[in-house]
Amino acid sequence: MVRIRRAAEQDAENLNGGQVSQQALDLRRSLQIVRRHKILVGIVLALGLVAGGAYAALHPPTLTSTAEVLLPQSGQAATSGAQAAANGAADPYTVTQEVIAESNPVLLGALPNVRPAVSIIELRHEVQIGSLTPYILSISAEGKVAADTEATANAVARSYIHYVGSLSGPGGQVSAQLLQPATSATGPSPLKSIVIFALLGAIAGALIGTVIALAISRSDPRLRERDEIANSIGVPVLASFPVDHPSDAGGWTKLLEDYKPGALHELQLRRALQQLELTAVGVSAGSQNDRWSFTVLSLSSDPRALALGPQLAIFAASQGIPTALVVGPQQDARVTAALRTACAAPLTSSKRPGHLQVIVSDGEVEAQGNATLAVVVVVVDGRNPQVPDTMRTTATLLGVSSGAATADQLARAAVSAATSGREITGILVADPDSNDATTGRLPQLGRRGQRRMPTRMTGIATEIRR
């Protein structure tokens, strides 16, 4: 029984720990989504800020101004007041005067001097009658403008003094006096009110923007994280690095001549090339041919991924590896038209790496010339991918940029590649999400024949075989 109870307690602890971990993961993911849509959230926040400030400017805070009226102290009133105070009740004399002060005759007498002009019903809502002591009445008025509020409080106070001082006043004539006229209005300053409402509007805007960002992300099937991309087709991510986005032949020419990755991305490219070479060695085990090659397959709906193959080829050539960049037949020739134009143009600059040669062909390319490595660029339609007949390579990589493709599109491309005898052995991710903390690593599930599935290495960088 003791063992069973301990096991139950341990299961409960594990369950609670899993829930906490899941909550932390969901929170981290939500924060990543908000950062990813920071422009949207910022716009909604700014709109909330402006809306809050505008509301405060159009609806200024209510100000209060108070006039004080001194009542005469009669013997009868003093006696009744003392008895009421002893019993813990309100002074009946003061209560009577408060009722008179907010009666219709008093308010009607004050209307001509009230600013702005209002009805007697509105004036009744704006005026509050109270007592500071049994012989001092307070007549307060509320409004948006200080001068109008002061004028309204003084108008009601003077109307009351005039009314109770007449012979027709209820309870006889009372000689009340204006002890302190309303000379100032109190309340929050307009600037402070604008600041407060603007901040509240900004907070509300940030919350609304966050909800919108989360809703958009929930309905967006595109893959952004490396683990999501790798798990979609069960293939590891070999490297992820930013790419250039040439839009014309001139841009591609500049890329071929001036591409220089940063230190971190250079390390990733080195590791990717090493993995590809290991794959080539495994495929051609026992052969005397030391040449190796790979195809970078991308989608026409993902133009950013097109630069992955050329950048890998340029980097390999810069490391002293004789490399051929092959642009062969495409499913849609318009997608690679600018790249083909740049590669087919006569070489007019010496900036291009000396070990790099470019091959443009409309037919199937079989030879690499004197190149040790060949990088073949292939683009297929994301909805109906069909890999064209082009040069056969020792490995095929799927190139995709973060947030550009869905799992269904990647699966279609992988199936099309496998149908044409080009099984996807690795993934290259272009422009990875800066908030992505995943790696895209997958466990090695074993070997298939002599081919070794490439995995991302975590050790120190090694030099590429020249």
Side-chain angles (χ1 to χ4, degrees):
M1 292 295 294
V2 174
R3 292 182 178 179
I4 294 175
R5 185 175 62 184
R6 288 180 178 176
E9 292 176 351
Q10 183 65 34
D11 291 340
E13 291 178 359
N14 294 336
L15 178 60
N16 293 332
Q19 292 176 346
V20 172
S21 300
Q22 184 65 33
Q23 291 174 355
L25 180 62
D26 292 341
L27 178 60
R28 180 180 65 84
R29 184 175 179 83
S30 298
L31 292 176
Q32 290 177 349
I33 293 173
V34 172
R35 285 196 293 266
R36 187 183 305 142
H37 295 86
K38 57 185 177 182
I39 296 179
L40 170 63
V41 176
I43 291 175
V44 180
L45 184 150
L47 291 176
L49 181 71
V50 174
Y55 176 84
L58 296 175
H59 300 82
T62 300
L63 303 176
T64 303
S65 186
T66 303
E68 298 175 2
V69 177
L70 178 63
L71 302 176
Q73 301 182 23
S74 63
Q76 182 180 0
T79 301
S80 62
Q83 293 176 352
N87 296 328
D91 184 359
Y93 173 72
T94 307
V95 172
T96 300
Q97 298 305 315
E98 291 178 4
V99 173
I100 295 173
E102 61 182 357
S103 63
N104 286 341
V106 173
L107 297 181
L108 286 172
L111 280 179
N113 298 315
V114 170
R115 299 185 312 192
V118 295
S119 66
I120 188 172
I121 297 177
E122 294 173 328
L123 179 59
R124 191 182 301 279
H125 288 298
E126 293 179 359
V127 175
Q128 301 292 331
I129 307 298
S131 59
L132 302 178
T133 69
Y135 301 104
I136 300 179
L137 293 182
S138 63
I139 301 176
S140 301
E142 296 180 346
K144 303 297 184 181
V145 181
D148 294 346
T149 304
E150 296 164 9
T152 300
N154 289 330
V156 175
R158 292 189 175 97
S159 178
Y160 164 75
I161 293 172
H162 180 269
Y163 180 71
V164 298
S166 64
L167 294 176
S168 61
Q173 185 178 16
V174 178
S175 58
Q177 300 178 6
L178 184 60
L179 177 64
Q180 177 67 47
T183 57
S184 62
T186 59
S189 66
L191 178 60
K192 182 178 179 181
S193 178
I194 291 176
V195 171
I196 292 175
F197 276 89
L199 291 178
L200 292 177
I203 294 173
L207 293 176
I208 294 174
T210 299
V211 172
I212 295 175
L214 293 176
I216 293 175
S217 178
R218 182 181 295 272
S219 60
D220 186 359
R222 292 176 298 179
L223 306 176
R224 296 184 180 275
E225 295 186 349
R226 283 177 279 257
D227 278 1
E228 292 177 340
I229 296 173
N231 292 330
S232 65
I233 58 174
V235 175
V237 173
L238 298 184
S240 56
F241 49 89
V243 298
D244 288 359
H245 309 132
S247 58
D248 53 21
W252 283 110
T253 299
K254 183 178 179 182
L255 175 65
L256 293 172
E257 295 177 352
D258 299 332
Y259 175 63
K260 294 180 178 61
L264 177 61
H265 303 127
E266 179 180 352
L267 178 61
Q268 289 185 318
L269 291 172
R270 284 177 178 272
R271 290 176 175 174
L273 288 175
Q274 183 184 23
Q275 289 292 328
L276 292 170
E277 187 177 19
L278 290 175
T279 301
V281 171
V283 172
S284 59
S287 172
Q288 300 297 322
N289 187 2
D290 61 350
R291 295 182 177 182
W292 51 295
S293 58
F294 58 87
T295 299
V296 180
L297 181 69
S298 61
L299 306 178
S300 59
S301 58
D302 184 10
R304 291 183 297 170
L306 180 59
L308 285 168
Q311 288 187 188
L312 265 174
I314 299 167
F315 175 76
S318 67
Q319 302 303 304
I321 303 175
T323 305
L325 174 61
V326 181
V327 183
Q330 305 292 329
Q331 186 176 358
D332 186 354
R334 294 173 298 179
V335 179
T336 58
L339 174 60
R340 291 170 63 90
T341 301
C343 293
L347 184 61
T348 59
S349 173
S350 59
K351 294 182 179 180
R352 185 181 299 180
H355 292 280
L356 176 67
Q357 59 174 308
V358 293
I359 301 174
V360 177
S361 174
D362 293 327
E364 184 174 353
V365 179
E366 295 293 345
Q368 300 177 209
N370 297 324
T372 301
L373 167 64
V375 180
V376 182
V377 176
V378 175
V379 181
V380 296
D381 187 356
R383 292 174 296 181
N384 184 27
Q386 295 180 358
V387 179
D389 292 332
T390 185
M391 175 181 174
R392 292 284 172 171
T393 56
T394 53
T396 301
L397 308 180
L398 181 60
V400 59
S401 58
S402 175
T406 65
D408 182 69
Q409 289 176 323
L410 298 186
R412 288 174 182 270
V415 170
S416 176
T419 302
S420 64
R422 306 170 188 268
E423 182 179 355
I424 303 296
T425 56
I427 298 176
L428 300 176
V429 178
D431 295 335
D433 193 331
S434 59
N435 299 317
D436 181 13
T438 64
T439 61
R441 298 189 185 99
L442 290 177
Q444 190 169 0
L445 300 180
R447 300 182 180 180
R448 181 178 179 180
Q450 295 294 330
R451 177 174 295 183
R452 293 185 292 179
M453 295 293 290
T455 57
R456 292 188 66 184
M457 300 180 63
T458 58
I460 60 173
T462 58
E463 293 296 328
I464 298 175
R465 179 172 58 84
R466 303 297 175 88

